[in-house]
Amino acid sequence: MVSEFSTINHHASVTEAVRLIYNGKVRKTGYKTICAMVTDDFGDLVGVLSMFDVLYHIRPPFLNYLGDSVQIAVQELEAYVNRFKELTVDLF
C-alpha cells in the first residue's frame, strides 16, 4: 500500500498540478503517480485531481463532436490552453 502521496494546495494553478503529476515519481511497484491529493490551507484532504480530470476539463469542446478526424494546428491548441493559465485547482 502506498503511504506517500503527491499533494497540492487547492489554490495552486492547474499548470502546477499538471507539472506535479507529469513529474511524479515512479513507485517501488513500477507504477507512476497519476494524480495528486488536493489539500486546503490546513493540510487537510479536500479532493483528488487526476490527469484525466485535467484533460477532460480543458479539452476543446469541438472534440466532443468531431472525434478522431480533427486536425488542429499547434498554435490553435496553445492559444486554447493559454486561456486556462490562471485557472486554479479549486475551480476545477
Side-chain angles (χ1 to χ4, degrees):
M1 186 161 119
V2 176
S3 58
E4 292 180 29
F5 301 97
S6 299
T7 61
I8 191 159
N9 185 278
H10 65 112
H11 293 302
S13 71
V14 171
T15 304
E16 288 179 65
V18 168
R19 284 191 184 118
L20 178 71
I21 295 169
Y22 182 76
N23 295 319
K25 65 181 180 179
V26 177
R27 308 278 184 203
K28 291 178 186 176
T29 60
Y31 292 102
K32 186 177 179 194
T33 301
I34 59 168
C35 64
M37 303 299 149
V38 181
T39 58
D40 63 13
D41 294 331
F42 301 104
D44 295 328
L45 180 68
V46 294
V48 177
L49 181 70
S50 71
M51 190 61 85
F52 175 81
D53 297 324
V54 173
L55 295 173
Y56 180 81
H57 288 288
I58 69 167
R59 76 189 184 292
F62 61 80
L63 290 179
N64 294 338
Y65 309 107
L66 300 177
D68 295 334
S69 64
V70 173
Q71 295 293 324
I72 184 169
V74 173
Q75 296 84 2
E76 289 178 81
L77 187 57
E78 286 178 8
Y80 183 79
V81 171
N82 283 336
R83 292 178 28 199
F84 299 97
K85 262 188 175 170
E86 302 302 318
L87 188 63
T88 59
V89 172
D90 58 356
L91 296 176
F92 248 46

